[in-house]
Amino acid sequence: TAGDFIISASNFNVKADGQLTASNVKISGDITATTGRFTADIVATSLQADSGSIGGFTLKEEQILSSGSDAQFQLVGVMV
């Protein structure tokens, strides 16, 4: 309800429990999350993960597996 918001504007809202909703926003700094979803392109200079999935691939600590084919990639050395 409208009373749940402690800050409210047309494209920026914060609820008392910390829920943040914003549109057309630019955020800088560190973001820590346990879940989430991106619905558009992601531009990054690096990505660090030891598990999860991205673009139809399953990420494991030393493997990348494709769910759409038999392709598998395995870490065989250290990238410098």
Side-chain angles (χ1 to χ4, degrees), residues 16-53:
D17 66 2
Q19 180 182 341
L20 169 72
T21 304
S23 60
N24 197 26
V25 64
K26 191 177 273 190
I27 299 174
S28 63
D30 293 334
I31 299 173
T32 303
T34 55
T35 64
R37 181 178 307 252
F38 291 96
T39 58
D41 293 337
I42 300 170
V43 178
T45 56
S46 68
L47 174 65
Q48 295 181 353
D50 59 14
S51 66
S53 63

Side-chain angles (χ1 to χ4, degrees), residues 6-26:
I6 56 173
I7 300 173
S8 184
S10 61
N11 63 349
F12 182 82
N13 297 294
V14 180
K15 287 188 174 183
D17 66 2
Q19 180 182 341
L20 169 72
T21 304
S23 60
N24 197 26
V25 64
K26 191 177 273 190

